[in-house]
Amino acid sequence: MRLRLVLYFTLIVLVSVGSMVIIARYSTAREVRAYMFRGGMVGVEELVSTLEDYYLRNQSWQGAESLLSSPGFGHGRRLGSQGNATPGQMGMGAMMGQRLRLADASGRIIADTAGQNTNSPLNSVELEAAVPLQAGDEIVGYLIAEGGAAFDRNDEVYLVSRLSRAAMIAATISVVFSLLLALFFSYRLLLPVHALTKAATQLAKGDLSGRVVVEGDDELATLGKAFNHMASSLQRVEENRQAMTADIAHELRTPLAVQRAHLEALQDGVYPTTTDNLTPILEQNLVLTRLVDDLRTLALADGGQLHLECKPTDFPDLVKHVVDRFTPQANAHGVSIKLSIENPCPPIAVDPGRIEQILGNLLSNGLRYSSDGDQVELKVSSTSKAVQLTVRDSGPGIPEDSLPRIFDRFYRADRSRSRIEGGTGLGLAIARQLAQAHGGTLVAANYPYGGAVFTLELPINREKRPEN
Ligand code: ADP
């Protein structure tokens, strides 16, 4: 890419310098020629006014050629290049080496002291350099005085070639400098690209820690930021994947070990094969089954494959149903459940089974963290856009540092207590995924007077199920 950039730079430099040289050469030649002509004009003011007077008197140029060769005209500041002519031999202009030409209003030559080209038209350069002769406001002819200057045709060629040479040298120097600059700039320009290539190669080899240093605010800096963002996301996903694998292995180990110990004891005859001795094995099997079910639900939600069987549902009724299911368990622990419905809710299209799963998780957590005499309070309310359920307990609440993480998979604020009580650390992660699959939200907070509050919000009119 650097080579290509340098080539592009070179091409641009060559084209611009080349065109500059061509234009400069052309306009220099033109200017030199015009200057030559103009040079001859200095000192012919007297002849100009004589010619103009002549035309005014005669209303024509007939016989005017005699004026060009009359002595007394054309002298002035200029020095003739043919300094050997003497006054009196010819008109002063011609005597000083000047060639005088008179043209009519259309530019056709009518008199020439060199005796050539009469009747031929002046070319555009000559016309541009000629002194217009006026009768009143009207241009009636042109006077060209040339050759009296320090320039002749050879001088012109010499001067133009010298100027061209100088232009070529200037062009060569600027090409060399431009190429050096092109090399430098392409090197600088490609530095971030090299850094990106290096970091991307590192990433491709599996090292996700590679980042690029981002400087400035241009397109390459934006690309660098996007790359860093992508690398961070990949790293986070990879860390989560590794943590999840480790967590799953960890969660499987305990129930499997318990089952194995019991089975070995039964096999060795340490325990008699009775229903009582089979119960712990069955319990651990249930733990494993639940874990596998939870993991499957999460995997489906992650892949956007979670199938919801949505139908119009009376949300308060559904909550009542779940509360009834948990009441015996709550009563057994001396905990009461209070349900209040703030205002009537319109039916909402949800998958009742999945919503029950969310409510079941929130209620069982609420009961788990409540003590004898505590109350778990559920409040249902609705707005024109959403229905809301809050589940508040009067337990210890969630440690502040754990609040941002309790929806993470396998996260438990109090590991030992949660596991003993059968928690896998997946309940809230699943509940939030299910809420999101319904287009809703699930958030947690601590109640100012103690206890945790979970708020589930579900939209009443969900346009499209988000792809998680
Ligand atoms: P688990 O199955 O272990 O309960 P959850 O995902 O349901 O997993 O909860 C994650 C963690 O959040 C729990 O381990 C606990 O530390 C915390 N938690 C959940 N609900 C409550 C609550 N009502 N009060 C206090 N802490 C809670």
Side-chain angles (χ1 to χ4, degrees):
M1 184 157 172
R2 184 180 311 163
L3 184 68
R4 221 182 306 161
L5 269 176
V6 171
L7 282 178
Y8 287 150
F9 279 135
T10 312
L11 196 70
I12 293 169
V13 167
L14 285 179
V15 168
S16 46
V17 170
S19 51
M20 192 196 80
V21 167
I22 292 168
I23 293 168
R25 199 174 184 286
Y26 173 76
S27 52
T28 307
R30 194 182 154 89
E31 281 305 310
V32 165
R33 224 169 290 139
Y35 179 74
M36 260 177 58
F37 283 120
R38 272 197 301 277
M41 302 302 166
V42 182
V44 295
E45 299 86 353
E46 217 178 316
L47 177 57
V48 168
S49 57
T50 307
L51 285 169
E52 285 175 347
D53 284 350
Y54 180 87
Y55 189 89
L56 272 177
R57 264 185 278 114
N58 298 293
Q59 289 303 309
S60 116
W61 289 118
Q62 215 155 14
E65 52 275 10
S66 62
L67 291 174
L68 299 187
S69 50
S70 318
F73 292 124
H75 66 86
R77 280 167 279 153
R78 306 208 55 82
L79 287 174
S81 56
Q82 323 288 317
N84 52 358
T86 54
Q89 283 177 315
M90 49 178 57
M92 189 59 98
M95 176 199 75
M96 296 296 284
Q98 271 184 313
R99 176 188 180 189
L100 296 169
R101 278 185 290 170
L102 176 65
D104 64 11
S106 67
R108 195 175 51 85
I109 298 170
I110 48 179
D112 184 349
T113 54
Q116 295 169 6
N117 296 330
T118 313
N119 245 344
S120 63
L122 292 173
N123 65 33
S124 63
V125 176
E126 291 169 330
L127 210 56
E128 202 181 302
V131 180
L133 302 171
Q134 286 176 299
D137 287 339
E138 194 190 346
I139 292 178
V140 291
Y142 297 94
L143 175 68
I144 297 187
E146 61 180 297
F151 296 107
D152 59 14
R153 181 74 195 148
N154 289 339
D155 289 337
E156 180 201 336
V157 172
Y158 177 68
L159 183 65
V160 169
S161 78
R162 279 196 63 99
L163 286 173
S164 302
R165 216 178 125 225
M168 286 305 292
I169 291 171
T172 312
I173 292 172
S174 48
V175 166
V176 171
F177 269 113
S178 308
L179 282 182
L180 288 176
L181 279 177
L183 273 172
F184 173 72
F185 282 129
S186 59
Y187 172 76
R188 284 229 40 183
L189 205 70
L190 292 180
L191 267 184
V193 178
H194 286 315
L196 266 170
T197 312
K198 204 170 145 205
T201 313
Q202 205 179 336
L203 213 71
K205 284 182 184 158
D207 178 0
L208 301 179
S209 63
R211 301 286 183 279
V212 290
V213 179
V214 178
E215 277 169 10
D217 209 18
D218 57 7
E219 288 80 356
L220 282 175
T222 313
L223 181 65
K225 277 183 208 158
F227 176 86
N228 283 349
H229 186 69
M230 180 195 74
S232 301
S233 302
L234 281 176
Q235 194 171 24
R236 207 169 38 245
V237 168
E238 179 58 16
E239 280 167 6
N240 284 347
R241 192 189 64 79
Q242 285 174 2
M244 180 123 170
T245 312
D247 282 335
I248 293 171
H250 188 79
E251 293 303 318
L252 291 175
R253 196 182 298 142
T254 310
L256 284 173
V258 174
Q259 279 184 350
R260 185 173 167 182
H262 279 84
L263 286 170
E264 278 174 359
L266 290 174
Q267 194 182 42
D268 295 347
V270 179
Y271 293 157
T273 315
T274 60
T275 315
D276 278 356
N277 286 333
L278 285 174
T279 305
I281 300 171
L282 194 64
E283 276 172 4
Q284 293 307 312
N285 190 281
L286 282 174
V287 170
L288 285 176
T289 309
R290 202 170 59 227
L291 180 66
V292 170
D293 280 349
D294 286 351
L295 286 172
R296 188 177 136 73
T297 307
L298 278 173
L300 288 175
D302 281 345
Q305 305 285 313
L306 199 64
H307 178 64
L308 296 181
E309 281 174 17
C310 292
K311 56 182 180 196
T313 307
D314 185 327
F315 187 66
D317 243 26
L318 189 70
V319 179
K320 255 185 250 159
H321 175 70
V322 179
V323 167
D324 289 346
R325 193 152 57 84
F326 276 85
T327 303
Q329 185 188 333
N331 291 342
H333 287 90
V335 180
S336 60
I337 302 178
K338 185 183 161 205
L339 169 65
S340 54
I341 293 160
E342 304 275 294
N343 52 353
C345 299
I348 52 169
V350 290
D351 181 335
R354 295 301 190 180
I355 298 298
E356 268 192 43
Q357 200 176 341
I358 302 174
L359 302 183
N361 178 265
L362 297 181
L363 257 176
S364 63
N365 276 348
L367 295 178
R368 185 184 300 159
Y369 292 94
S370 296
S371 322
D372 195 0
D374 282 346
Q375 187 180 63
V376 175
E377 206 180 308
L378 286 87
K379 213 178 270 181
V380 179
S381 62
S382 78
T383 64
S384 59
K385 291 192 174 143
V387 294
Q388 202 182 63
L389 168 76
T390 56
V391 180
R392 179 166 78 82
D393 61 60
S394 41
I398 303 157
E400 282 303 318
D401 55 336
S402 298
L403 252 183
R405 300 198 52 199
I406 55 161
F407 291 100
D408 289 355
R409 289 157 197 201
F410 294 112
Y411 183 79
R412 301 175 179 112
D414 179 352
R415 287 199 157 250
S416 51
R417 175 175 177 174
S418 180
R419 185 169 298 131
I420 288 164
E421 293 175 12
T424 57
L426 288 176
L428 284 178
I430 292 176
R432 178 174 263 185
Q433 288 273 22
L434 292 176
Q436 286 171 350
H438 281 87
T441 54
L442 177 63
V443 291
N446 276 321
Y447 195 63
Y449 307 107
V453 194
F454 287 87
T455 307
L456 169 70
E457 196 168 286
L458 297 169
I460 290 177
N461 289 315
R462 188 158 53 91
E463 306 245 311
K464 184 177 171 285
R465 193 184 141 197
E467 294 295 319
N468 294 305

